[in-house]
């Protein structure tokens, strides 16, 4: 199990592989972001996207799936997150893309009010199959301290 004490500032990690499908892009858009360029090839062709593209929020959700799978693999003693900062959608994500993540731990601190936990901040960059960054953000993770 990975605890707060095991987190190293500057540590980098590469993980994940998520194949983006047309069906999932359209389904997500119908439910959560029904803008025409996420729903229709014809509407998307008339925009700067040029073709059907995934919602940025869908890109966040796909990234979350990769993050959780990575936490399971590492057996991290995670306790959730109070949020993220600096979210940037850099390039469109299209059906047929395959996404992956890279992260770097920026800093960490033990909680003064909750001695059983600490937090750490990390910058995550999401890349497509051509190693082009498509999204970045800084997140804060809460994690148990070693018993």
């Amino acid at each position: 199990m990975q605890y707060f004490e095991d987190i190293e500032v500057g540590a980098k990690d590469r993980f994940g592989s998520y194949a983006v499908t047309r069906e999932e892009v359209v389904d997500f858009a119908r439910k959560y972001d029904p803008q025409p360029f996420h729903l229709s090839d014809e509407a998307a062709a008339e925009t700067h996207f040029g073709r059907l593209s995934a919602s940025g929020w869908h890109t966040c959700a796909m990234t979350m799936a990769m993050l959780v799978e990575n936490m399971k693999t590492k057996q991290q003693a995670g306790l959730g997150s109070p949020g993220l900062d600096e979210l940037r959608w850099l390039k469109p994500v299209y059906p047929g893309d395959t996404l992956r993540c890279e992260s770097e731990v920026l800093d960490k601190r033990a909680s003064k009010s909750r001695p059983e936990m600490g937090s750490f901040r990390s910058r995550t960059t999401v890349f497509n199959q051509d190693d082009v960054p498509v999204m970045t953000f800084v997140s804060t993770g809460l994690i148990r301290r070693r018993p």
Side-chain angles (χ1 to χ4, degrees), residues 71-137:
M71 284 187 280
K72 284 193 231 173
T73 300
K74 291 190 163 58
Q75 297 184 345
Q76 192 178 75
L79 296 169
S81 172
L84 55 89
D85 299 303
E86 302 175 34
L87 173 63
R88 298 290 180 268
W89 294 303
L90 306 172
K91 296 283 184 187
V93 170
Y94 298 109
D97 285 351
T98 300
L99 305 179
R100 68 175 182 83
C101 301
E102 292 184 11
S103 67
E104 179 179 5
V105 177
L106 302 174
D107 54 51
K108 73 179 203 176
R109 69 177 185 83
S111 174
K112 292 179 177 138
S113 62
R114 308 267 318 259
E116 73 279 7
M117 73 169 56
S119 65
F120 65 98
R121 288 185 328 123
S122 58
R123 179 177 312 282
T124 299
T125 304
V126 181
F127 295 88
N128 67 17
Q129 68 282 351
D130 298 319
D131 289 329
V132 174
V134 298
M135 186 175 77
T136 61
F137 60 90

Side-chain angles (χ1 to χ4, degrees), residues 6-13 103-106 122:
D6 303 316
I7 303 287
E8 293 182 27
V9 174
K12 296 180 180 180
D13 195 12
S103 67
E104 179 179 5
V105 177
L106 302 174
S122 58

Side-chain angles (χ1 to χ4, degrees), residues 37-50:
F37 47 84
H38 297 318
L39 295 167
S40 157
D41 293 306
E42 295 75 28
E46 296 178 15
T47 70
H48 65 284
F49 295 113

